Amino acid sequence: MSDCCSYENGRQYDIAVVGAGSAGFSAAITAAEAGARVALIGHGTIGGTCVNVGCVPSKALIRAMEAAHSSHAAQRFAGITVTSGVTDWSAVQAQKTALVNALRDKKYEALLPEYENIDYIYADGPAKLTQGGVHVDGRIIRAGKTIITTGSSSSIPPIPGIEGVETLNSTTALELEILPETMMVIGGGVIGCELGQMFSRAGVKVTICCRTRLLPEAGPEISEALKASFEAEGIKVCSGVGYQRIEQTSKGVQLHCETGGGTQIVTAEKVLIAAGRRPNIDHLGLAEVDVEVDGRGGVIVDGHMRTSNTSIYAAGDVTGRDQFVYMAAYGAKLAAKHAADQPVEPYDNRTMPWVVFCDPQIAGVGMTASEAIDAGYEVKESIAPLNQVPRALAAADTRGLIKLVADEKTDKLLGAQIMAPEGADSIQTMVMALKFGMTTKELGAMIFPYLTTVEGLKLAAQGFEKDVTKLSCCAG
């Protein structure tokens, strides 16, 4: 590493990492392992979004409410009676909080003493970037390189009247001490679908409102199947609506929606805003250090995570792309290695898997059919409804489908989406298939274990050339 400037107490830093969440720790540890002297600057609760208010608490509550919903699932089987439900929400919350605290300690706080060349600097106020370092709490942390990993926050949609309404976001919703009777979810993306179903299974009457359709990034078949599954559970879905205004009334929060049939009014006790997230760039002073952002506030980076200021890098949600914790950690590692003058391959998200932890789970990798067409491919598709998958039949749960997209000319697989109970565990098979350029014929010829969800990938691959309903069990 090149020499860097001195901090006033005599410490010298090669790299300053601004933000002590998943991406920040990934960057700091990677840089430290490369021999760099690192200043890890944190503001707020150590660990960031994922462990504290995002992935960990939400998935814990989602799994808990799946258990609460088990009596409904048991109805699929003859001769079985099960009683289940939420009897003590405060106990559910306490268990979730204990898990969060344990993981924050084990995976963040307890890790710091293991790295002698990482100094954790807690900031009472927000950090501001300067040339050659970071200004925080009235002092300057000098460093040769800086990596921004400040994450993102829930964004508020521009609905007239929303400033006068008490709203929940994904953080405050997960901290509710008392369950409301009714809840309106504005936004049909990942967070809206996951938390909307979770609260519904906890006993809350939920309505999800969205401008387009549920999970617009997924294929239309997935969106329609998910809507049908939600409605079968009693979740109301108002899709393809325009938001006219929202207001607080004596009856609760009222959202006036424009639909094809006129104005529809949705009323609920609580409203959860799940309409996307915005990069945390306030107070960083990016313009003063010549760091450019895009139209949505995401820090613009190149393939090595460098910003327009080549001594400053950025990774994770603050870049506004691929907002998954594993992609944040991946990008942060690349940034740290490049900042430490180590050889590194450019950022590559072509085989990035994504998962939505609703039930049935939804997962995907690669391109959708429309994306492949836009990219110039001649596309072919194969869809295997779950009622063609023996595992689903044996489990008496055929909600969902498996869809494959391939290049008509070369037969190479281009993308896949799965909607199935526990279907997320199968998507990595498709990640590997795309990573190594497999064709539909090669995937269809592979040996898969019988009575597994992942076997549905084989059936979908065979479906490009044959009618799989005419195959016997385990037929190759």
Side-chain angles (χ1 to χ4, degrees):
M1 293 293 298
S2 58
D3 292 337
C4 65
C5 301
S6 299
Y7 175 46
E8 61 254 33
N9 65 1
R11 292 189 180 94
Q12 296 185 13
Y13 297 106
D14 300 300
I15 297 173
V17 179
V18 183
S22 300
F25 265 74
S26 176
I29 290 173
T30 301
E33 290 176 339
R37 183 72 182 179
V38 181
L40 176 60
I41 303 169
H43 175 57
T45 306
I46 194 171
T49 296
C50 182
V51 71
N52 291 303
V53 297
C55 314
V56 172
S58 66
K59 302 322 175 266
L61 291 179
I62 287 169
R63 181 62 89 181
M65 292 310 102
E66 286 178 7
H69 190 71
S70 62
S71 59
H72 297 271
Q75 294 174 9
R76 297 194 297 264
F77 297 93
I80 296 178
T81 300
V82 176
T83 301
S84 60
V86 177
T87 57
D88 188 346
W89 178 251
S90 62
V92 175
Q93 286 283 40
Q95 184 180 34
K96 175 264 294 181
T97 301
L99 173 65
V100 168
N101 292 341
L103 285 178
R104 181 175 59 241
D105 175 68
K106 183 177 182 180
K107 294 299 183 181
Y108 293 91
E109 294 172 346
L111 286 182
L112 290 171
E114 301 295 324
Y115 297 91
E116 294 182 357
N117 47 341
I118 298 178
D119 287 343
Y120 178 64
I121 301 172
Y122 179 80
D124 291 322
K128 182 179 180 180
L129 275 60
T130 65
Q131 294 294 346
V134 181
H135 188 276
V136 60
D137 293 346
R139 58 187 182 181
I140 294 180
I141 310 298
R142 299 288 182 182
K145 304 283 181 65
T146 300
I147 304 175
I148 308 168
T149 59
T150 49
S152 64
S153 302
S154 298
S155 60
I156 303 295
I159 304 174
I162 199 166
E163 65 281 351
V165 175
E166 183 179 348
T167 61
L168 297 169
N169 57 35
S170 58
T171 297
T172 55
L174 293 173
E175 297 170 346
L176 282 174
E177 296 180 0
I178 299 175
L179 289 170
E181 291 187 8
T182 57
M183 177 182 288
M184 177 197 320
V185 179
I186 297 180
V190 175
I191 295 174
C193 288
E194 288 185 349
L195 297 191
Q197 186 182 44
M198 185 274 289
F199 279 112
S200 174
R201 290 182 166 187
V204 181
K205 294 181 179 178
V206 172
T207 302
I208 299 178
C209 303
C210 51
R211 294 182 183 273
T212 55
R213 53 184 170 88
L214 297 180
L215 300 180
E217 293 81 9
E221 301 89 353
I222 297 286
S223 297
E224 287 303 313
L226 181 61
K227 181 179 180 181
S229 181
F230 275 5
E231 291 177 337
E233 286 192 23
I235 302 171
K236 295 182 179 179
V237 179
C238 299
S239 55
V241 302
Y243 304 138
Q244 295 175 332
R245 70 179 190 277
I246 192 170
E247 57 189 346
Q248 193 86 42
T249 71
S250 59
K251 296 180 180 180
V253 180
Q254 288 190 342
L255 175 66
H256 296 249
C257 299
E258 180 182 354
T259 70
T263 298
Q264 178 179 354
I265 299 176
V266 180
T267 303
E269 181 183 343
K270 295 287 187 180
V271 56
L272 165 59
I273 303 297
R277 298 179 67 83
R278 60 179 181 82
N280 291 331
I281 61 171
D282 296 346
H283 311 295
L284 285 175
L286 299 181
E288 298 175 31
V289 289
D290 300 319
V291 171
E292 297 178 357
V293 299
D294 61 26
R296 302 183 67 178
V299 178
I300 299 172
V301 293
D302 65 13
H304 294 111
M305 315 310 290
R306 286 182 301 186
T307 71
S308 49
N309 181 329
T310 56
S311 66
I312 299 175
Y313 296 71
D317 285 9
V318 75
T319 65
R321 66 178 184 179
D322 300 339
Q323 295 185 336
F324 302 99
V325 64
Y326 43 91
M327 297 304 290
Y330 164 64
K333 288 180 180 180
L334 298 187
K337 287 183 177 180
H338 197 269
D341 298 326
Q342 291 193 334
V344 61
E345 293 293 324
Y347 187 92
D348 184 358
N349 61 0
R350 289 175 297 177
T351 56
M352 175 192 75
W354 53 266
V355 176
V356 185
F357 287 92
C358 51
D359 178 28
Q361 293 176 351
I362 298 171
V365 63
M367 291 184 281
T368 63
S370 60
E371 289 171 340
I373 291 171
D374 290 342
Y377 289 98
E378 186 177 339
V379 170
K380 60 179 179 178
E381 306 172 67
S382 175
I383 296 177
L386 244 62
N387 61 15
Q388 297 177 5
V389 180
R391 170 63 180 174
L393 294 170
D397 191 354
T398 57
R399 298 170 299 157
L401 57 95
I402 297 173
K403 180 178 181 179
L404 301 181
V405 177
D407 181 3
E408 180 72 59
K409 294 181 178 179
T410 65
D411 195 44
K412 283 191 175 182
L413 290 155
L414 300 175
Q417 293 185 8
I418 300 171
M419 177 180 173
E422 300 299 336
D425 290 340
S426 300
I427 197 61
Q428 196 65 21
T429 297
M430 289 308 305
V431 172
M432 300 294 286
L434 267 63
K435 179 75 172 179
F436 296 103
M438 288 185 67
T439 65
T440 70
K441 291 183 179 63
E442 290 170 335
L443 181 63
M446 287 183 63
I447 298 173
F448 283 78
Y450 185 52
L451 286 175
T452 61
T453 300
V454 75
E455 183 192 23
L457 295 176
K458 177 185 181 76
L459 295 171
Q462 290 176 326
F464 281 103
E465 294 187 333
K466 63 180 68 175
D467 183 354
V468 297
T469 63
K470 297 179 180 179
L471 298 177
S472 64
C473 293
C474 305

